[in-house]
Amino acid sequence: MNASSPTAPAFNLLDTPWLPVRMLGGQVTELGLLKLFEQASQIEGLIESSPPNLVALHRLLLAIAHRALTRSLGTWTDRDRARWYREGLPTDALVDYLHHWRERFWLFHPEHPFMQVAALATAEETRDKLKPWTQIALDSANGNTPVVFDHAVDTEPMEVCASVAVRSLLGFLQFTPGGLVQVFRSADKAGPLADTAAVIPVGSSLTEALALGLHPATDTADDSPPWERGLTTLAHLRADPTLARGICDRYTRLSRAVLLMPHTTAQSVSVRWLRFGAGLALAEDPSAPDPMASFRAGSNGLVRMTFHEGRAIWRDLGALLPDSTGIHAQPAAIVSWASNLHDARGEWDVAVPVLVAGLCSKKAKLVRWRSEHYALPSSALRSADVATALRSELKWAEELYYTVRGVASEMLAKAMPDSSSKDTRSRARAMLHAGPFPPAYFSKVEYNLPAMLDSVARNDLDMAHALWAAALVGASQSAWDAARGMLGQSAAALRAEATSYGKFQFAIKDFRMVAASGQTATMSAVPQEGSN
């Protein structure tokens, strides 16, 4: 049949494969929720290619696990999580919970479609107004958004399988930027993770990842996800923004009202059209930030960590570490939960691997998305002094970059006509910024980041300092060579290089000395031939 409001339930998410996973043996497959939780210890992890969707899937699984354990156990401790990390989550509790709410996990349902609003089918504003499914695909062109990864047009959207539609829906609800909606309200609030580089602890299996990321048991009885509540009405959609009832509410908030229209054949269920409107707007509480969001120092206080053009997230890694002053960083709470689990296991020297993923938008348009992996040293997570030292190393890299960039841009300006002009200096800085100089520096630094973090993990801060200094010297030299390559071979260019090279050497002099001290210490620690 053609796309229409469903008259009978279809595509149950408990049984139908829709979650892409990689098994520990390397096999790639899709599973329904029941098999995923039953086989969690045999699953390496989710392999969703869209960073927003990947984060949203983790949040969904954590919300389900939390509600299931709350229903079964009421409360638990870090020792319990440590046991689940080792032995597996209580599968019986998870399966029993899912079976209890089975009727709420139909993707297509006349009254309770999963994570959707059935009222859109009869609302005057939406019943006769369909939008392409790409309305909820953050990587697709729709409306007046620019083409990113496709060339679809609103009048002729391509069909997509239901599994892709539901994963896109979940990612959209979490990461949608705020802005105009003009259905039920003129505008709507952003999703919980809009413009956020979300942090998720990961392990060697999905079981470990869920145990690490599970938030503490709470007394918030009404912190329920949408599938446990009654029908979402138009009055709910028109109401003022509300604070999250708890973490499960944040993880599953219906930040937009969506109703997928199924296109059913004998072989499959697909989606081409949907109904759309304003959702259950989320009001933010500064005292209760999202557990996956970190905050770093900005020009006017702490700002949420996100992705910037040409800036790898490791440069803001200090935002994931504790800061007793609250001035430099406010790490995501989920990192401390993961660290607490390792403490409960007596693992004082185990790093916490994390996935940092999400997207950045500008004026409600997707600008970039990204996912990166890092291993946070346990010593930096447990000691404020070590965390401060690591932040200082990262700051050291930034400061040297800007110092060397200043000398290099001055060199470029000297090679240009009217070199003393303010416009000339601005043009030189712009050329340097757009050229190979920044990547030549930061890619070299990033290559040496793991070695420095390993030294921090061993609590050998002196060695970390020396290794980092050597990395910065090498990165500065690479960047300088890139800047020299932009000069050319004119007489003015050669004079500019000759008069600037001394300033460059002076800028890295102290770093050379620190790096040399580390090399000397390493050599002195090596037994000499013939020694006892």
Side-chain angles (χ1 to χ4, degrees), residues 188-213:
D188 210 352
K189 293 283 190 178
L193 288 178
D195 293 331
T196 301
V199 183
I200 302 174
V202 295
S204 59
S205 71
L206 184 59
T207 289
E208 293 183 3
L210 295 177
L212 288 166

Side-chain angles (χ1 to χ4, degrees), residues 241-532:
T242 59
L243 295 173
R245 304 178 187 187
I247 293 174
C248 290
D249 182 17
R250 290 191 67 92
Y251 284 180
T252 58
R253 175 61 72 111
L254 299 181
S255 55
R256 295 292 184 273
V258 177
L259 184 60
L260 303 174
M261 300 290 100
H263 181 83
T264 305
T265 67
Q267 292 77 30
S268 64
V269 182
S270 60
V271 175
R272 191 178 184 189
W273 303 100
L274 55 77
R275 294 185 174 94
F276 185 85
L280 305 180
L282 177 67
E284 288 292 351
D285 181 358
S287 64
D290 193 284
M292 293 185 180
S294 298
F295 296 79
R296 62 174 181 82
S299 55
N300 294 307
L302 294 176
V303 296
R304 187 175 289 212
M305 190 169 72
T306 186
F307 296 105
H308 299 274
E309 180 182 3
R311 183 183 178 92
I313 209 70
W314 68 261
R315 295 167 64 181
D316 295 323
L317 212 56
L320 305 184
L321 306 176
D323 174 28
S324 58
T325 68
I327 298 174
H328 306 290
Q330 182 179 318
I334 199 169
V335 176
S336 66
W337 301 336
S339 182
N340 292 343
L341 185 149
H342 286 301
D343 288 348
R345 285 172 55 83
E347 298 172 334
W348 311 109
D349 57 351
V350 174
V352 176
V354 295
L355 166 71
V356 184
L359 65 79
C360 177
S361 61
K362 183 178 182 181
K363 295 181 179 180
K365 308 295 189 295
L366 171 64
V367 177
R368 63 189 63 85
W369 67 16
R370 201 180 305 160
S371 62
E372 303 177 17
H373 286 83
Y374 298 97
L376 303 180
S378 59
S379 57
L381 295 174
R382 291 178 173 82
S383 168
D385 291 339
V386 176
T388 298
L390 181 50
R391 260 193 296 273
S392 296
E393 300 294 350
L394 298 172
K395 183 180 179 182
W396 211 26
E398 296 290 326
E399 291 175 344
L400 180 58
Y401 169 75
Y402 286 111
T403 298
V404 175
R405 191 185 71 171
V407 177
S409 62
E410 179 183 336
M411 176 178 68
L412 289 182
K414 287 179 179 179
M416 298 177 183
D418 197 12
S419 59
S420 60
S421 166
K422 182 179 179 180
D423 289 342
T424 301
R425 294 196 298 272
S426 296
R427 190 163 68 253
R429 284 193 297 271
M431 289 175 57
L432 205 64
H433 178 72
F437 183 87
Y441 180 88
F442 286 111
S443 62
K444 186 86 170 183
V445 175
E446 183 175 9
Y447 179 80
N448 291 276
L449 179 67
M452 189 268 281
L453 292 179
D454 284 345
S455 294
V456 172
R458 296 193 302 272
N459 219 15
D460 191 347
L461 299 185
D462 289 338
M463 180 56 68
H465 192 54
L467 289 173
W468 198 236
L472 298 186
V473 169
S476 298
Q477 187 63 61
S478 295
W480 183 260
D481 292 342
R484 285 170 53 190
M486 300 172 64
L487 277 176
Q489 297 296 321
S490 67
L494 296 176
R495 281 196 302 270
E497 179 185 351
T499 56
S500 300
Y501 187 67
K503 292 183 179 181
F504 166 67
Q505 290 295 324
F506 181 79
I508 63 174
K509 179 184 68 172
D510 292 343
F511 296 84
R512 287 189 185 278
M513 293 175 61
V514 173
S517 68
Q519 293 173 357
T520 301
T522 302
M523 290 299 294
S524 64
V526 177
Q528 301 298 312
E529 185 177 354
S531 62
N532 293 325

Side-chain angles (χ1 to χ4, degrees), residues 12 14-15 34 97-106:
N12 192 280
L14 303 191
D15 311 310
L34 282 172
Y97 173 83
L98 291 173
H99 279 306
H100 179 79
W101 292 105
R102 168 175 285 277
E103 292 305 307
R104 298 297 181 88
F105 280 87
W106 292 101

Side-chain angles (χ1 to χ4, degrees), residues 58-258:
H58 271 280
R59 286 161 79 89
L60 173 69
L61 298 180
L62 287 169
I64 292 173
H66 195 280
R67 295 300 293 176
L69 295 172
T70 299
R71 180 174 180 266
S72 174
L73 306 176
T75 187
W76 57 86
T77 66
D78 288 334
R79 285 187 175 275
D80 293 320
R81 290 198 300 130
R83 186 177 71 256
W84 300 335
Y85 179 92
R86 181 181 67 253
E87 301 174 0
L89 294 168
T91 305
D92 290 345
L94 294 165
V95 171
D96 182 67
Y97 173 83
L98 291 173
H99 279 306
H100 179 79
W101 292 105
R102 168 175 285 277
E103 292 305 307
R104 298 297 181 88
F105 280 87
W106 292 101
L107 183 60
F108 306 107
H109 192 281
E111 294 180 352
H112 294 286
F114 180 75
M115 295 295 288
Q116 299 164 71
V117 180
L120 299 188
T122 55
E124 182 179 352
E125 297 91 336
T126 55
R127 66 189 178 198
D128 299 321
K129 187 175 182 180
L130 297 182
K131 289 182 173 290
W133 84 271
T134 52
Q135 179 77 27
I136 60 168
L138 292 166
D139 57 341
S140 296
N142 63 82
N144 65 347
T145 60
V147 171
V148 180
F149 297 117
D150 76 341
H151 294 264
V153 294
D154 289 353
T155 55
E156 290 294 333
M158 296 181 63
E159 291 184 2
V160 65
C161 63
S163 59
V164 172
V166 65
R167 299 200 301 264
S168 298
L169 172 63
L170 294 171
F172 177 80
L173 294 175
Q174 288 297 310
F175 285 90
T176 182
L180 296 176
V181 176
Q182 297 181 335
V183 180
F184 308 129
R185 288 196 302 273
S186 60
D188 210 352
K189 293 283 190 178
L193 288 178
D195 293 331
T196 301
V199 183
I200 302 174
V202 295
S204 59
S205 71
L206 184 59
T207 289
E208 293 183 3
L210 295 177
L212 288 166
L214 187 67
H215 56 282
T218 62
D219 296 327
T220 310
D222 62 345
D223 181 25
S224 55
W227 56 85
E228 292 187 22
R229 300 184 213 141
L231 293 174
T232 300
T233 67
L234 300 185
H236 292 139
L237 302 180
R238 293 189 174 108
D240 292 333
T242 59
L243 295 173
R245 304 178 187 187
I247 293 174
C248 290
D249 182 17
R250 290 191 67 92
Y251 284 180
T252 58
R253 175 61 72 111
L254 299 181
S255 55
R256 295 292 184 273
V258 177

